[in-house]
């Protein structure tokens, strides 16, 4: 197959293939420009239309849209009543926001280890880490695969714990036939540029609980409510909230994108099949197992290097793939490895399975706008590089 590009050989691709990229078409552009010329740039009719479209898509009673997914998680922690002295449990293999949101309200994130095969948080590890202070569980549908929600909900119910599902990766995924967004007390979605559906930036919480819905809405807008008490100008700030509003411009894009969720999902599944077929037959690689209860729409495609079979570590293989113009990435560094968390006193060794996974993880380019040829280039790149480094 020729020598590796990192040693001066010809790369598999002449152009760099990124790990993710948004799919924006003419309809999306028109939706945004129409909004720019309308009466409302923010907090107008598009916000409600977006919330309605999202709540219908995921089978939830309410949706509250926020400026981003992190703000939505912060609001959910607040609405759950999480605060000083409380603890919340999440996965270490996630974006830092899943844990940061607990720190925002003064609570302590507790990391529960993952399942080695599905890479998702292990409900047995959640149970082991529960204390009398545990007030929320924030399970993450890592890569888009649903966590075992029946088991997690049962643990939570028995202990008066609120479940906030971090579904930033799993819009469109179903759990035992039920859509993610209708399973937990609250479910958080993100509409960041690389996510399955984008609004540029954006986030939302879906819930069936009217009390939570009201608390989330209040938190989004400074804690302010409209009131006619002293006249038409009057409003009152009832608590300390934030400006976590989303704009009509973003929501117009979000609505237009959400209408294409099924189309995006079909394309993601097609690319996933090309990868699964190729990678499952390649020595040196281990695929993420899909649990039977999750009908997954993947946001990320991960490979785990079978390091004992290889002569090189992840960094060497990663750099060799990049040299072939295959835009691999790594999702994620265990959250408590970050210097800020180390300063808070979290020690390496806390979640051995997550740490071992991190050493072997590679994110493969995966997005609906890539062609079959792009996907086959990725496969060729892995054949070349992994073939070179196999023992
Ligand atoms: C993207 C993401 C979020 C939210 O991120 P925002 O960029 O604030 O929308 C939360 N959790 C996970 C796992 C994510 O990937």
């Amino acid at each position: 197959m020729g020598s590796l590009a990192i040693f001066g050989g010809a790369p598999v691709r002449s152009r760099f293939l990124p790990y993710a990229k948004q799919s924006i078409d003419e309809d999306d552009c028109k939706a945004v420009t129409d909004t720019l010329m309308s009466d409302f740039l923010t907090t107008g009719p598009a916000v409600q239309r977006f919330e309605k479209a999202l709540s219908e898509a995921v089978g939830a009673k309410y949706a509250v849209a926020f400026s981003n997914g992190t703000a939505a998680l912060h609001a959910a922690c607040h609405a759950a009543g999480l605060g000083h002295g409380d603890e919340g449990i999440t996965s270490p293999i996630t974006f830092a926001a899943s844990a940061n949101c607990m720190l925002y309200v003064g609570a302590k994130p507790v990391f529960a280890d993952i399942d080695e095969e599905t890479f998702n948080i292990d409900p047995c590890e959640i149970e082991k880490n529960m204390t009398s202070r545990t007030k929320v569980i924030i399970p993450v549908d890592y890569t888009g695969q649903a966590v075992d929600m029946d088991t997690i909900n049962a643990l939570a119910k028995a202990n008066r714990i609120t479940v906030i599902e971090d579904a930033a990766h799993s819009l469109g995924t179903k759990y035992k036939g039920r859509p993610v967004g209708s399973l937990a007390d609250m479910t958080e979605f993100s509409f960041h540029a690389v996510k399955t559906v984008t609004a540029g930036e954006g986030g939302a919480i879906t819930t069936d609980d009217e009390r939570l819905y009201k608390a989330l809405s209040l938190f989004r807008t400074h804690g302010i409510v409209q009131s006619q008490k002293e006249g038409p100008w009057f409003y009152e700030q009832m608590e300390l909230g934030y400006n976590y509003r989303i704009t009509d411009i973003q929501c117009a894009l979000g609505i237009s994108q959400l209408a294409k969720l099924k189309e995006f999902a079909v394309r993601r599944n097609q690319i996933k099949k090309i990868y699964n077929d190729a990678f499952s037959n390649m020595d040196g690689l281990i695929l993420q197992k899909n649990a039977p209860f999750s009908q997954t729409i993947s946001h990320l495609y991960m490979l785990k290097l079978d390091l004992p079979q290889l002569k090189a570590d992840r960094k060497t293989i990663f750099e060799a793939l990049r040299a072939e113009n295959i835009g691999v990435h790594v999702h994620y560094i265990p959250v408590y490895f970050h210097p800020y968390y180390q300063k808070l006193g979290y020690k390496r060794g806390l979640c051995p399975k997550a740490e071992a996974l991190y050493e072997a993880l590679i994110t493969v380019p995966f997005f609906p706008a890539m062609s079959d040829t792009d996907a086959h280039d990725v496969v060729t790149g892995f054949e070349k590089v992994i073939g070179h480094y196999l023992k």
Side-chain angles (χ1 to χ4, degrees):
M1 210 180 268
S3 73
L4 297 189
I6 202 159
F7 301 137
V12 166
R13 289 175 59 89
S14 53
R15 258 187 331 120
F16 185 76
L17 181 70
Y19 91 87
K21 187 173 188 284
Q22 66 274 18
S23 297
I24 300 290
D25 66 12
E26 297 279 324
D27 295 344
D28 296 325
C29 296
K30 186 169 184 317
V32 170
T33 48
D34 285 355
T35 306
L36 284 170
M37 300 307 286
S38 77
D39 291 339
F40 292 93
L41 295 185
T42 192
T43 322
V47 176
Q48 278 177 19
R49 279 199 289 130
F50 182 51
E51 291 174 340
K52 185 158 182 288
L54 179 65
S55 62
E56 284 173 5
V58 304
K61 217 164 173 179
Y62 306 101
V64 182
F66 290 86
S67 45
N68 55 67
T70 306
L73 282 170
H74 183 188
C77 286
H78 171 82
L82 189 69
H84 286 276
D86 296 331
E87 295 174 359
I89 299 174
T90 192
S91 170
I93 300 291
T94 183
F95 181 56
S98 313
N100 288 348
C101 59
M102 304 186 219
L103 295 175
Y104 294 159
V105 297
K108 182 183 170 201
V110 173
F111 297 97
D113 213 345
I114 55 153
D115 177 277
E116 283 160 308
E117 295 191 316
T118 66
F119 310 163
N120 263 338
I121 194 167
D122 179 348
C124 298
E125 295 291 329
I126 294 178
E127 191 169 16
K128 269 195 229 162
N129 281 285
M130 284 185 351
T131 72
S132 58
R133 297 169 193 260
T134 309
K135 208 157 186 179
V136 302
I137 302 170
I138 307 187
V140 181
D141 298 331
Y142 173 64
T143 71
Q145 176 171 202
V147 291
D148 187 359
M149 279 304 294
D150 282 350
T151 306
I152 293 171
N153 276 336
L155 280 174
K157 253 199 194 76
N159 295 281
R160 296 166 175 272
I161 291 168
T162 303
V163 180
I164 304 167
E165 188 174 356
D166 184 338
H169 297 183
S170 58
L171 180 60
T173 290
K174 290 184 175 163
Y175 171 80
K176 298 183 181 174
R178 289 174 284 150
V180 164
S182 66
L183 309 164
D185 296 303
M186 289 179 270
T187 306
E188 173 258 345
F189 294 100
S190 168
F191 305 102
H192 177 269
V194 300
K195 299 286 157 69
T196 299
V197 158
T198 186
E201 294 271 4
I205 300 290
T206 57
T207 183
D208 283 343
D209 185 320
E210 191 184 359
R211 188 187 60 77
L212 292 173
Y213 166 72
K214 285 184 172 159
L216 293 163
S217 304
L218 198 60
F219 194 74
R220 172 177 61 182
T221 311
H222 308 281
I224 284 174
V225 292
Q226 301 300 318
S227 125
Q228 298 284 319
K229 257 187 219 160
E230 294 186 15
W233 73 88
F234 203 66
Y235 60 87
E236 289 177 300
Q237 186 188 333
M238 309 306 288
E239 56 175 81
L240 188 62
Y242 290 74
N243 177 358
Y244 277 166
R245 292 187 303 259
I246 189 168
T247 65
D248 267 40
I249 306 166
Q250 289 165 290
C251 287
L253 179 55
I255 294 162
S256 175
Q257 284 265 307
L258 201 52
K260 288 178 281 222
L261 174 59
K262 288 218 169 73
E263 198 182 302
F264 290 156
V266 166
R267 185 63 194 145
R268 283 180 180 273
N269 282 336
Q270 287 169 345
I271 300 163
K272 188 156 107 179
K273 184 166 183 333
I274 294 176
Y275 282 166
N276 284 345
D277 289 349
F279 294 135
S280 59
N281 291 311
M282 236 186 259
D283 288 337
L285 297 176
I286 299 167
L287 274 61
Q288 181 183 14
K289 182 184 163 193
N290 193 85
F293 52 67
S294 177
Q295 294 83 57
T296 306
I297 303 302
S298 295
H299 156 59
L300 294 173
Y301 191 98
M302 306 305 302
L303 284 171
K304 182 178 167 186
L305 300 175
D306 193 356
L307 292 172
Q309 282 205 57
L310 297 163
K311 288 183 287 197
D313 62 4
R314 191 258 315 272
K315 183 163 185 277
T316 306
I317 289 168
F318 182 99
E319 284 169 351
L321 286 160
R322 279 279 178 100
E324 303 294 340
N325 279 323
I326 308 299
V328 287
H329 216 287
V330 175
H331 296 86
Y332 291 95
I333 304 155
V335 174
Y336 60 81
F337 277 18
H338 289 296
Y340 184 78
Y341 279 84
Q342 292 284 303
K343 230 170 36 192
L344 291 178
Y346 293 86
K347 296 274 185 293
R348 286 181 182 240
L350 195 61
C351 298
K353 289 178 189 166
E355 294 182 19
L357 176 66
Y358 168 60
E359 291 299 323
L361 265 184
I362 290 197
T363 312
V364 176
F366 184 66
F367 55 94
M370 64 193 275
S371 66
D372 285 7
T373 308
D374 292 333
H376 290 297
D377 284 349
V378 172
V379 170
T380 306
F382 271 88
E383 273 168 358
K384 191 176 168 189
V385 170
I386 298 293
H388 181 86
Y389 288 111
L390 262 182
K391 274 184 186 161

